[in-house]
Amino acid sequence: MLVSEHPVAAARRSATGLWSLVLAGVLWGTGGPTGSLLAQETGLSPLAVAAYRLAAGGTLVIASLCLTRQPLPRGRRAWARMAVNGLLAAVFQACFFAAVSLTTVSLATLLTIGTSPALVLSAEWTTGRRRVSPRMLATVALAVSGLALLVGTPPGGLTATSVLAGAGFALLSAAGFATMTFIGTRPVAGLHDLTATGVSFAIGAAVLAPAATVTSGMDFVPTPASVGLLLLLGTAPTAVAYALYFRGLRTTPASTAALIALLEPLVATLLATLFLGDRLGSTGLIGAGLITTAIVLNTRSTHH
């Protein structure tokens, strides 16, 4: 006989999941500035930084699992999930940086992060996992509008070919992230969030590293600053953030999680304004307010 979970316990798990997603989004926001500083310090290409990010995050998690003597999962489903997540991580990281190289950071961010909630919501509606209400559609539209205002208008000088190619890569990146989010709401029995994160990123790094080596190289001179930045990049916005994200997906609809991920460009923009000398105009402030409002409205409706 199945015993249903107590309503209070279920509500507590739901709230914990939401806060895990919020914290993941905030930590992701530190990844952009940290990766930018690492690239400046080492001269590495964005693709190489992405490969090192996954490698550092995966290595740190696996090392902690070994130190605490946590056994690796043995089931076929667990290893299949980790392999798929690793490939998806490599795809959306590589495609995002390809979009950046063909267009701009702002345009690539707008198309990738802005498209993800719509893709996940469409998948949920198609598979019958969630009824798409007018309020949910309005919330997504509000968030994407805020993101458009936050990132601003891309500078001129881009050719139609580069914009179309960059948009294609950005949409592939969004599809990779959306797919990982969608399947993450169906956890695999016996697969711990931290284990899934570490092994998946090790697989993703193994896919990205050869591509980075062939195209731009991965050599750099290790200094205290570069090693420190690499460890920081592999820890907070990678290992910890994704472990929290996978944990939050257990109790939160995928479309809600994808919308909360909009915290990443919001936090990254604020950090760049505070520490990297970027300027945030009135339009950007309005966009930041719209994103924050959309996330608050969505999380409140999900929790209640």
Side-chain angles (χ1 to χ4, degrees), residues 118-144:
L119 291 176
V120 174
L121 195 63
S122 299
E124 285 186 327
W125 175 74
T126 302
T127 58
R129 287 194 190 181
R130 190 176 191 182
R131 186 178 66 85
V132 180
S133 64
R135 176 174 178 171
M136 185 64 193
L137 291 174
T139 303
V140 172
L142 182 67
V144 174

Side-chain angles (χ1 to χ4, degrees), residues 70 84 139 221 228 291 297:
Q70 296 292 325
V84 169
T139 303
V221 178
I291 292 174
L297 291 175

Side-chain angles (χ1 to χ4, degrees), residues 23 121 155 185 223 255 285:
L23 184 54
L121 195 63
T185 57
T223 63
S255 52
L285 288 173

Side-chain angles (χ1 to χ4, degrees), residues 147-162:
L147 180 61
L149 293 175
L150 180 68
V151 301
T153 305
L158 296 175
T159 65
T161 303
S162 64

Side-chain angles (χ1 to χ4, degrees), residues 53 78 87-88 98 124 129 155 171 188 193 204 262 286:
R53 175 182 185 174
L87 293 174
L88 289 172
E124 285 186 327
R129 287 194 190 181
L171 292 177
V188 175
D193 303 315
L262 287 168
I286 294 173

Side-chain angles (χ1 to χ4, degrees), residues 146-285:
L147 180 61
L149 293 175
L150 180 68
V151 301
T153 305
L158 296 175
T159 65
T161 303
S162 64
V163 170
L164 288 175
F169 278 115
L171 292 177
L172 284 174
S173 179
F177 180 77
T179 302
M180 189 175 71
T181 298
F182 187 69
I183 66 175
T185 57
R186 292 289 188 267
V188 175
L191 180 59
H192 190 269
D193 303 315
L194 202 57
T195 304
T197 303
V199 177
S200 296
F201 284 174
I203 294 172
V207 173
L208 280 186
T213 301
V214 171
T215 56
S216 60
M218 293 188 65
D219 295 336
F220 72 95
V221 178
T223 63
S226 62
V227 173
L229 286 169
L230 180 57
L231 290 175
L232 178 60
L233 183 63
T235 306
T238 307
V240 177
Y242 277 97
L244 287 169
Y245 191 69
F246 289 135
R247 178 183 298 176
L249 285 176
R250 291 175 177 267
T251 57
T252 308
S255 52
T256 297
L259 198 63
I260 293 175
L262 287 168
L263 281 169
E264 176 183 0
L266 176 60
V267 173
T269 300
L270 295 177
L271 289 176
T273 302
L274 291 173
F275 300 109
L276 299 180
D278 289 4
R279 293 185 177 182
L280 186 62
S282 56
T283 303
L285 288 173

Side-chain angles (χ1 to χ4, degrees), residues 28-29 31-33 92-93 95-117 143-152 154 166-167 169-171 173-175 177 258 261-269 291:
W28 277 338
F92 76 70
Q93 290 273 351
C95 288
F96 175 74
F97 286 118
V100 169
S101 67
L102 289 166
T103 56
T104 63
V105 173
S106 60
L107 185 57
T109 300
L110 173 61
L111 291 173
T112 300
I113 306 298
T115 306
S116 296
V144 174
S145 300
L147 180 61
L149 293 175
L150 180 68
V151 301
F169 278 115
L171 292 177
S173 179
F177 180 77
L262 287 168
L263 281 169
E264 176 183 0
L266 176 60
V267 173
T269 300
I291 292 174

